[in-house]
Amino acid sequence: MSANKQLHVVITTPLRTVYDDYVDQITVTTSEGEITVLPEHIPLIVPLTIGQAMVKKDGKEVYHAIDGGILEVRHGSEVVILSDRSENASEIDIERAEEALKRAQDFMDQKHHEEDVDFAKLERDIARELNRVKLAQKGQRK
Amino acid sequence: MQTKTIKQKMKSVQNIGKITKAMEMISVSKMKKSVEKRAASDIFATRSFELLENLHVHRQLSHPFLEERETGTRVLMVIIASNKGLCGGYNMNVSKQVTNFVNEHPGTSIDAIVVGKQSERIAGRNNLNVIASFTEFSDYFTGGEVRSLLHTVTEAYRSDESYRQVVVAYTKFVSSLSFEARVIPMIPLDVDRTEKLLSLKEQADKKSLAQYTFEPNEQEVLDTVVPAVLMTVIYQLLLESLASEHSARVMAMRNASDNASEMLEDLRLNYNRARQASITQEIAEIVGGSSAMS
């Protein structure tokens, strides 16, 4: 397959670059819902919410947990995801992710009556860990 | 001198030498690691700056962290220095830069957010008002730690209109042998300038000024991108400072190890001399004793 018919996808975080490859398509969760980007897409910038990025290459699907960020589609079938935090689904340790989720939920239950707790942050934590657990399970099923 | 005391001294010098040698090794590996991490975050930095630039070219951006504040008079300074000592002139250099900055801006009230125990002292020496202190950072900054620092900085700037700008005092890592403390402006964010300061690679394809489609709108995109860029900036500054700290420590420890082995050499000479003297003395006593008996 010629390279210009493929998407060059880069998923990068401030800490490291998670993914860099030529793929057939990518599906991401944006604040407006899921979108799929194919090669030759028009330039686009859209914020991402906590969710997943699925890239399809040669019929195989690779999942990434995305902790919010920006999707930028450039000229020449280039896609850049700038994310706060991102992991490949196969890298997620499901037990630890579940533990972290439980911890966040417990904390939420405990602090239910206290006032000086940043609930927005807690909810975000929970959503994030939930997302990781889901993705890790998806990765294991295959 | 007594041979025994010399021997004791030799032993302690030897131990010190061992410790400094070990510290040197540790710092070398830590320095390498922080340089690697710095390099790993370059892609994100380059990409996010490109994004901002692309946006910038075809329309005027408006975001609180991009605009100059006409009204403010005060300055918020982030000081990055080490937690521990034994790293040569590293902290002193940062301190000097801070003092220079203070002298260059007479009459400006400067608040400080400090990273590292030594920066607390630097701030104290320069009579800066410390509003937040991060002294518990681990050896390699995690995303969460950097985020909480950034959050403190941006919240302070956002909530207080009287801040004209945010500056960072850090140490630029040039190579493993040279580094340079300096004070740079951080907020308001000037894309070109900051990019140059971080010496990111120039990207050639600035021509591809495609008219982007924004979904859902420009402001939301900016609200996400600008903090991400700031995060990268501060992360890289932290890592550069860390790399500089470790390379300063490598140098300091290498000097200490060299001094220790030199000292050991001197002591060994003294020891041999003293040992020889005591043997001669003993022989002289024996000879003296036997000649007195006969």
Side-chain angles (χ1 to χ4, degrees), chain B residues 11-220:
Chain B
K11 210 162 222 168
S12 69
V13 171
Q14 221 163 8
N15 282 339
I16 291 170
K18 266 185 206 159
I19 292 168
T20 53
K21 190 84 204 160
M23 282 175 79
E24 184 190 329
M25 301 297 214
I26 293 169
S27 294
V28 167
S29 85
K30 280 188 177 171
M31 180 186 80
K32 279 191 188 141
K33 219 165 182 184
S34 27
V35 172
E36 271 166 30
K37 281 193 136 188
R38 159 79 168 70
S41 78
D42 259 0
I43 295 176
F44 185 90
T46 326
R47 297 287 177 165
S48 40
F49 276 121
E50 276 170 29
L51 177 62
L52 268 190
E53 257 173 31
N54 279 348
L55 294 180
H56 194 59
V57 170
H58 65 84
R59 72 191 92 185
Q60 195 57 41
L61 303 179
S62 100
H63 189 275
F65 293 151
L66 293 174
E67 279 154 20
E68 305 268 344
R69 276 187 184 168
E70 310 276 316
T71 49
T73 52
R74 292 158 70 216
V75 173
L76 181 63
M77 183 186 252
V78 182
I79 305 173
I80 306 172
S82 70
N83 259 334
K84 292 176 193 139
L86 293 180
C87 44
Y90 171 76
N91 289 312
M92 239 3 255
N93 288 335
V94 177
S95 175
K96 262 185 221 155
Q97 290 299 323
V98 173
T99 312
N100 280 350
F101 186 87
V102 172
N103 290 340
E104 279 165 19
H105 297 78
T108 313
S109 121
I110 302 175
D111 288 348
I113 291 178
V114 300
V115 180
K117 289 195 184 89
Q118 302 292 330
S119 5
E120 265 178 357
R121 285 191 207 161
I122 293 172
R125 250 197 310 261
N126 290 295
N127 293 322
L128 306 183
N129 173 30
V130 177
I131 57 172
S133 165
F134 293 84
T135 53
E136 301 296 322
F137 275 3
S138 57
D139 245 352
Y140 305 108
F141 310 103
T142 61
E145 285 168 343
V146 181
R147 217 161 280 145
S148 66
L149 169 63
L150 182 66
H151 184 76
T152 316
V153 174
T154 50
E155 272 312 302
Y157 182 76
R158 200 202 308 265
S159 62
D160 195 336
E161 287 282 331
S162 64
Y163 285 124
R164 194 180 66 237
Q165 58 172 347
V166 178
V167 296
V168 186
Y170 80 112
T171 310
K172 184 179 169 57
F173 182 80
V174 184
S175 73
S176 55
L177 292 174
S178 85
F179 34 84
E180 183 196 339
R182 46 152 95 168
V183 179
I184 64 161
M186 177 176 152
I187 303 174
L189 186 70
D190 181 324
V191 176
D192 288 338
R193 193 183 54 205
T194 315
E195 201 172 18
K196 231 167 260 154
L197 284 170
L198 293 175
S199 40
L200 295 170
K201 281 165 245 128
E202 279 286 333
Q203 279 286 319
D205 62 346
K206 272 179 198 163
K207 287 156 274 152
S208 65
L209 311 169
Q211 190 77 27
Y212 281 93
T213 312
F214 286 95
E215 263 174 44
N217 64 54
E218 191 176 334
Q219 202 52 45
E220 198 172 319

Side-chain angles (χ1 to χ4, degrees), chain A residues 36-48:
Chain A
T36 298
V37 177
L38 293 167
E40 309 288 336
H41 197 284
I42 55 158
L44 169 78
I45 294 180
V46 55
L48 302 177

Side-chain angles (χ1 to χ4, degrees), chain A residues 3-92:
Chain A
N4 58 2
K5 278 282 158 58
Q6 283 189 312
L7 276 172
H8 183 198
V9 172
V10 178
I11 302 177
T12 180
T13 72
L15 307 191
R16 69 201 175 107
T17 297
V18 184
Y19 189 81
D20 187 343
D21 205 352
Y22 289 88
V23 302
D24 299 326
Q25 66 173 69
I26 178 164
T27 305
V28 290
T29 324
T30 75
S31 42
E32 311 275 281
E34 276 205 348
I35 64 164
T36 298
V37 177
L38 293 167
E40 309 288 336
H41 197 284
I42 55 158
L44 169 78
I45 294 180
V46 55
L48 302 177
T49 52
I50 294 174
Q52 61 181 42
M54 187 269 280
V55 293
K56 216 173 197 174
K57 190 189 181 182
D58 305 330
K60 266 184 242 153
E61 293 174 353
V62 183
Y63 289 89
H64 290 90
I66 301 281
D67 186 10
I70 292 273
L71 173 84
E72 188 193 0
V73 183
R74 296 184 181 188
H75 257 318
S77 300
E78 209 182 338
V79 175
V80 181
I81 293 180
L82 302 166
S83 168
D84 280 354
R85 206 173 88 161
S86 171
E87 285 159 297
N88 187 305
S90 61
E91 282 173 6
I92 299 173

